[in-house]
Amino acid sequence: HPEWPVGEGLSVRLQFTDRGLSGVVDDARLAGNPVQGLRVELPDLKAPVLSLSLEAQAAEAKPLLALLRQSPLRQKHAETLELLEVSGPARVDVSMVLPLKRELGRPQYAGTVQLYGVDFRAEAWQLDFEALEGQARFDAAGFTAPALVGRAHAAPVTAALALGREHTGSTALLEASAR
């Protein structure tokens, strides 16, 4: 899909059905992120709507942020995404529905990222969290992470992060709170 980075080094097993196809991506790279076990479905080749599903993909937070910077989120949140710095291990679950013809609808995607000790910084807003653990949910509107646990300035902290007006519930593009 033209709004997403191109997959590289694809190794795919496809099975053709009566009117469509399904398969599994055994190995690929997407914006520097390894992809394995991505399920692919295209039920009707004449009305091509591609469904992709990936569960429990181990990842590093920094290349995941690079992927978000190249995703459709950049249209609304490019400036904010550029100000964020992240590093550390994560796991991703994502599902996407990508119409391959404009008249078949708009792309949809949603998923979760489980953080396992991720450092999160945004100098412009003086945010500096270390070793964050917990879950973030994302979709086309942005992301929300309502209950992350980690450290800020060497003290234990519970943090909430949100990006996108639909997730912040206000006119703010990015919201962060800690206690």
Side-chain angles (χ1 to χ4, degrees):
H1 197 273
E3 294 180 333
W4 288 89
V6 174
E8 299 173 332
L10 290 166
S11 172
V12 182
R13 290 178 285 138
L14 292 176
Q15 178 179 12
F16 289 87
T17 59
D18 292 334
R19 299 182 64 165
L21 61 88
S22 63
V24 175
V25 175
D26 292 317
D27 194 28
R29 294 197 76 70
L30 186 59
N33 293 279
V35 176
Q36 294 151 342
L38 176 70
R39 290 190 311 275
V40 178
E41 285 191 46
L42 190 63
D44 186 347
L45 292 170
K46 291 187 184 221
V49 177
L50 180 64
S51 294
L52 305 170
S53 177
L54 181 66
E55 295 177 7
Q57 177 71 52
E60 282 292 319
K62 188 173 184 173
L64 281 176
L65 180 57
L67 174 59
L68 290 178
R69 287 175 176 152
Q70 297 174 54
S71 78
L73 278 177
R74 76 180 174 278
Q75 294 170 3
K76 291 183 182 178
H77 306 297
E79 290 179 32
T80 303
L81 290 170
E82 285 302 320
L83 296 173
L84 305 180
E85 296 176 41
V86 295
S87 63
R91 187 189 81 230
V92 178
D93 297 324
V94 64
S95 61
M96 305 173 94
V97 177
L98 303 171
L100 301 180
K101 292 182 178 176
R102 190 176 304 255
E103 63 270 15
L104 295 176
R106 297 182 49 82
Q108 300 171 19
Y109 58 93
T112 60
V113 178
Q114 186 69 37
L115 307 179
Y116 297 105
V118 168
D119 295 340
F120 177 96
R121 289 180 182 75
E123 267 187 50
W125 299 295
Q126 300 175 346
L127 296 176
D128 190 358
F129 298 110
E130 296 176 341
L132 289 177
E133 299 200 6
Q135 189 177 84
R137 290 185 172 82
F138 64 90
D139 58 27
F143 75 82
T144 183
L148 301 176
V149 177
R151 293 187 314 272
H153 309 290
V157 66
T158 299
L161 300 170
L163 174 68
R165 288 185 175 97
E166 292 86 345
H167 293 289
T168 63
S170 71
T171 58
L173 285 177
L174 177 72
E175 282 191 356
S177 62
R179 51 185 157 89

